[in-house]
Amino acid sequence: MCAVSFDSVGDVFTRIWQAATTPVPAPAQAVVLAMALAALAVVVVTPVWRVARHVITIAHEGAHALVATLTGRRLDAIRLHSDTSGLTISAGRPRGFGMVATTFAGYVGPGLVGLGAARLLREGYAVGLLWLLVALLALLLLKIRNLFGLWSVLVAGVALVLVSWFLSEPVQSAVAYAVTWFLLVGSVRPVLELQTQRFRRKARQSDADQLARLTGLPGLFWVGVFLLVTLGALVLGAWWIVVP
């Protein structure tokens, strides 16, 4: 009985690996552009954005967590909240390169993830991208420390698994393009919202203001850098997706 079980698990992973590492044809240009317009609509229409923004928050906090780990900080916890805010807690030196890099990573994270996704799409790995996102969400889940965060990551992960396992390649490819466009386009609006909140004196503990205290450079400078990086990722990612 155990042998059958292990064989079944092995078959599942073999199927996932084959699907993830096999290039698939890009969808028609009309589909690619339709996914771009759909992503733009989600970002622009505020009631829809308020729900979809949770995906950007997951990428934002995931970027904090990844850079904290890469720079030698100890990652303790990640929390995602229903108001689309989040918190990543890491331990280490309170100043220095690791703290600056970790703080900086959040707002640029979604755009850079979208840029990496765009590159995978250009190489034909749309299905591989979906499975890679599932794997990243699974790793993120290990450090989530609140119920809403668990719910958010699980919903996103299960949705991607269902698409990647049950739907046809053309549909999987379209979803991969939609997710990528949303990460690229959706990374810009939080930066604009951040500056609006700062202007209204409602974001004194924002990443930009923390960077100002860490580096001596004004918070507005860091908001400008966030905007430059996210817009740059959007332009380059769009180029990789649209231009043959």
Side-chain angles (χ1 to χ4, degrees), residues 32-49:
V32 173
L33 296 177
M35 295 303 99
L37 290 174
L40 180 61
V42 169
V43 173
V44 170
V45 179
T46 297
V48 182
W49 167 247

Side-chain angles (χ1 to χ4, degrees), residues 19-20 22-28 31-39 55 110 113-134 156 159-165 167-185 237-238 240-242:
T22 302
V24 297
V31 174
V32 173
L33 296 177
M35 295 303 99
L37 290 174
V55 174
V113 172
L115 184 61
R119 190 66 205 184
L120 287 176
L121 294 181
R122 188 173 180 85
E123 300 299 326
Y125 295 106
V127 180
L129 168 62
L130 295 178
W131 283 115
L132 177 60
L133 292 175
V134 170
L160 289 174
V161 168
L162 292 176
V163 170
S164 304
W165 188 262
L167 299 185
S168 64
E169 277 187 3
V171 177
Q172 292 169 347
S173 186
V175 171
Y177 275 82
V179 171
T180 301
W181 278 119
F182 177 69
L183 288 169
L184 290 170
V185 178
W240 281 347
I241 291 172
V242 174

Side-chain angles (χ1 to χ4, degrees), residues 1 6 19-20 25 49 51 58 71 78 80 120 138-139 143-144 157 164-165 175-176 207 214 236:
M1 185 69 88
F6 281 124
W49 167 247
V51 177
I58 290 172
T71 56
I78 301 171
L80 306 171
L120 287 176
L139 291 174
K143 288 296 182 177
I144 297 291
S164 304
W165 188 262
V175 171
D207 291 356
L214 288 167
L236 181 56

Side-chain angles (χ1 to χ4, degrees), residues 114-237:
L115 184 61
R119 190 66 205 184
L120 287 176
L121 294 181
R122 188 173 180 85
E123 300 299 326
Y125 295 106
V127 180
L129 168 62
L130 295 178
W131 283 115
L132 177 60
L133 292 175
V134 170
L136 292 175
L137 288 172
L139 291 174
L140 193 65
L141 200 61
L142 299 176
K143 288 296 182 177
I144 297 291
R145 293 295 182 267
N146 69 321
L147 288 176
F148 186 84
L150 287 172
W151 170 253
S152 298
V153 175
L154 282 173
V155 167
V158 168
L160 289 174
V161 168
L162 292 176
V163 170
S164 304
W165 188 262
F166 292 107
L167 299 185
S168 64
E169 277 187 3
V171 177
Q172 292 169 347
S173 186
V175 171
Y177 275 82
V179 171
T180 301
W181 278 119
F182 177 69
L183 288 169
L184 290 170
V185 178
S187 66
V188 178
R189 180 165 175 173
V191 179
L192 301 176
E193 292 175 340
L194 168 63
Q195 184 53 31
T196 299
Q197 292 173 343
R198 293 184 71 252
F199 181 77
R200 296 172 179 172
R201 310 291 185 183
K202 294 182 179 180
R204 296 181 183 275
Q205 299 302 317
S206 72
D207 291 356
D209 292 285
Q210 290 183 52
L211 285 167
R213 289 190 288 272
L214 288 167
T215 65
L217 296 170
L220 184 60
F221 168 83
W222 290 108
V223 174
V225 175
F226 294 159
L227 188 60
L228 184 64
V229 173
T230 53
L231 286 174
L234 172 57
V235 171
L236 181 56

